[in-house]
Amino acid sequence: MKRRHLFEFEDLSWFPAVLRNPITDLLREAIVLRGDVYAPVVPLLAKLVREHDISRIVDLCSGGSGPWTVLKGRLAEEDADVELVLTDKYPNREALAAAVRTIGDGRTRFEAQSVDATAVPERLSGLRTLFTGFHHLRPHTARRVLKDAYRRREAVAVFEFTERRWAPILLTVPLGPLLVWGWAARLRPVSYSRLFFSYLVPLVPLAFMWDGIASNLRTYTTEELREMVHDLDASDYSWEAGALKPEGRGGPPVTYLIGRPVGIEGGKAAAR
């Protein structure tokens, strides 16, 4: 299936936070956390942290905090405890602050100001991660994100659970609104605007359904990820792309792309 870069409501600068935030909150709680779709990445990410002596992870395009309220503790259990900084171009400050409180390890914080994934400030050094965020970027922008990490010789890890196949795309049509209606009233803290725009004026279910369809159609394959970095080649930097399948449980495979500095004493991916 050909990749199609349709718009997503949550990407639009004019899309109001009162609608964008419920979408990112629902994605985090109902799919990423309760569905535990990113469980397969823990060993790979922990190994990357240990091998390169990484002390800080800078999460880009964090949305409502993605999988980090679960992953942070799991990394610590794998002897890969790090400082974590959550960032986004349109930061959901309330959700990110709640995630910091939930993690509660004293080593997690969020950036209140906008952070552009294509030009990460030098002060935010460390392993750059993107969970369910890379498909939002057009090819030339996605390549700029990777090239910025490559140029700075920082490690970068991209993870996506969406798939460019008909089955997940078609299932999104009935399941997207049902998911919103089943979860909107269960999320905490209670938001009356979220309830209003989920049940009385159902803009959130419609936007959530459309964004789910667009996300799958936008997702890059492993071959496309490899092609994106084919000329970002150097003796001191390497790339790896693949797919991680859940072991002993249902769920979608997780597509990944990892870039890392090699042969550098101490690892330049470590926070300076």
Side-chain angles (χ1 to χ4, degrees):
M1 182 187 300
K2 182 179 179 181
R3 182 181 185 273
R4 299 185 183 280
H5 197 91
L6 305 178
F7 77 90
E8 291 188 47
F9 283 105
E10 62 177 298
D11 290 343
L12 302 174
S13 60
W14 56 262
F15 194 59
V18 73
L19 298 178
R20 178 187 290 112
N21 291 349
I23 292 175
T24 58
D25 290 344
L26 285 158
L27 178 64
R28 179 192 71 239
E29 290 292 330
I31 299 177
V32 174
L33 296 183
R34 298 303 175 99
D36 205 13
V37 294
Y38 286 118
V41 315
V42 173
L44 182 63
L45 196 56
K47 181 180 179 182
L48 182 63
V49 167
R50 291 193 304 266
E51 289 186 349
H52 291 270
D53 194 25
I54 291 168
S55 60
R56 179 191 294 150
I57 290 178
V58 179
D59 191 58
L60 306 173
C61 306
S62 295
S65 78
W68 282 108
T69 55
V70 171
L71 289 191
K72 188 62 162 57
R74 290 181 179 173
L75 284 181
E77 292 171 359
E78 297 280 339
D79 294 322
D81 192 21
V82 292
E83 177 190 0
L84 172 64
V85 183
L86 303 169
T87 75
D88 201 277
K89 188 172 184 179
Y90 306 113
N92 181 344
R93 297 176 182 86
E94 183 178 350
L96 295 178
V100 171
R101 291 193 298 270
T102 298
I103 295 170
D105 63 353
R107 302 197 66 199
T108 301
R109 63 182 177 87
F110 74 94
E111 285 284 311
Q113 303 303 314
S114 176
V115 173
D116 185 349
T118 67
V120 178
E122 187 172 352
R123 61 185 173 79
L124 294 177
S125 60
L127 165 62
R128 304 175 184 186
T129 58
L130 289 92
F131 286 89
T132 327
F134 205 65
H135 67 266
H136 290 271
L137 310 175
R138 291 185 180 275
H140 68 278
T141 305
R143 179 177 159 79
R144 286 175 59 200
V145 170
L146 302 174
K147 190 173 183 178
D148 188 62
Y150 170 80
R151 178 181 60 83
R152 295 268 303 279
R153 293 304 192 267
E154 301 280 15
V156 60
V158 173
F159 301 104
E160 297 275 332
F161 73 87
T162 49
E163 300 178 88
R164 209 166 74 214
R165 298 190 302 111
W166 279 115
I169 292 171
L170 294 177
L171 283 173
T172 301
V173 176
L175 293 184
L178 289 175
L179 196 64
V180 174
W181 291 325
W183 276 89
R186 300 167 63 183
L187 296 180
R188 295 295 181 270
V190 173
S191 167
Y192 293 109
S193 61
R194 181 176 65 232
L195 297 177
F196 180 81
F197 287 113
S198 295
Y199 299 109
L200 296 180
V201 180
L203 296 181
V204 170
L206 292 174
F208 188 84
M209 177 186 69
W210 173 260
D211 281 8
I213 293 170
S215 291
N216 284 288
L217 287 171
R218 285 172 153 193
T219 301
Y220 295 100
T221 64
T222 54
E223 292 77 15
E224 288 166 339
L225 292 173
R226 292 189 186 103
E227 177 61 24
M228 203 174 287
V229 296
H230 78 280
D231 61 340
L232 299 181
D233 186 30
S235 60
D236 62 352
Y237 203 89
S238 68
W239 297 95
E240 173 190 351
L244 300 168
K245 295 183 179 180
E247 295 184 7
R249 58 190 296 275
V254 177
T255 303
Y256 71 89
L257 173 69
I258 292 176
R260 71 190 89 191
V262 294
I264 299 176
E265 186 67 27
K268 286 199 69 177
R272 290 184 290 271

